[in-house]
Amino acid sequence: MASQRITIAKLAGLYGDIALQRLAAWSSARDAVDPNEWSSEQWPDHVRHEADEFAERVREHGFSLPVCHFVEWSDLWSMGDLFTRWLTPPNCSWPIGVYANRYEIFAYGLPDENRLASYLAAAGPQQFAETDWFVARLREAVSSWETLVPRATLVVLRYVLSASASDEEVAASLEKLPEWLS
């Protein structure tokens, strides 16, 4: 479990197509002995560097067209399997993924015959609020501008900051002024 920044961006049209192709190429560069174990060391250094730079550019230009949806938030608790789980509708393969030096990057191409939207709509309440938030934000991204933007790529960025915050740490933080705010 980790404290992390999660970003979801919907990249439209040609930009989305190119991003999906680039991420697929980087994803295929993975060299893993055990396909069930994931770590950034499984990608060549130049791929990790390029993927991190891509993630930074997505965040930097998140409010510029052809990015048609952009949201970012902190999640102080979720595990890393959250992302592949909710980007993998039934009977579909895992989403495109790259573990870079700073970011874990996942991509999902649209349209997909409504598979992801249906999967997310059927999710129902989850055990943890953070999962509900992620599912809701994915649903929003999928439906955002869908009538005007028939072709897009969803990009999910995970940036791990530290270990999960404990309830005690959160409670203690409520009683003091952080240095960055003084």
Side-chain angles (χ1 to χ4, degrees):
M1 297 186 292
S3 294
Q4 59 215 324
R5 179 178 57 222
I6 301 171
T7 307
I8 300 175
K10 186 174 186 178
L11 314 179
L14 180 61
Y15 179 48
D17 295 342
I18 291 170
L20 189 63
Q21 291 168 4
R22 189 168 294 159
L23 286 161
W26 291 334
S27 181
S28 68
R30 179 174 176 242
D31 183 19
V33 175
D34 182 348
N36 296 316
E37 290 184 20
W38 289 73
S39 86
S40 60
E41 290 78 28
Q42 296 170 338
W43 279 270
D45 187 56
H46 76 279
V47 169
R48 294 191 315 260
H49 176 74
E50 290 172 16
D52 277 336
E53 291 300 313
F54 168 80
E56 289 293 342
R57 283 193 306 275
V58 167
R59 291 188 61 241
E60 180 182 345
H61 298 284
F63 299 97
S64 303
L65 291 174
V67 178
C68 61
H69 185 87
F70 183 88
V71 62
E72 193 167 72
W73 72 99
S74 66
D75 178 327
L76 302 180
W77 192 82
S78 296
M79 294 182 9
D81 63 349
L82 173 77
F83 310 98
T84 53
R85 175 180 178 201
W86 291 107
L87 285 170
T88 309
N91 304 315
C92 293
S93 55
W94 275 35
I96 293 168
V98 178
Y99 284 34
N101 294 320
R102 296 185 309 263
Y103 290 90
E104 292 174 17
I105 305 168
F106 304 95
Y108 188 93
L110 298 169
D112 69 344
E113 299 176 4
N114 212 37
R115 289 186 296 249
L116 184 57
S118 297
Y119 176 54
L120 297 170
Q126 299 299 303
Q127 181 178 5
F128 304 110
E130 292 84 356
T131 306
D132 290 328
W133 301 336
F134 182 68
V135 169
R137 289 177 175 147
L138 272 180
R139 275 198 318 259
E140 293 165 0
V142 170
S143 66
S144 179
W145 292 90
E146 67 185 335
T147 55
L148 187 60
V149 178
R151 217 173 65 251
T153 298
L154 293 180
V155 174
V156 176
L157 307 175
R158 178 185 190 219
Y159 183 87
V160 175
L161 301 164
S162 63
S164 290
S166 69
D167 292 349
E168 293 79 15
E169 290 171 316
V170 173
S173 77
L174 303 177
E175 302 302 322
K176 62 183 177 182
L177 183 65
E179 285 185 33
W180 60 266
L181 192 55
S182 28

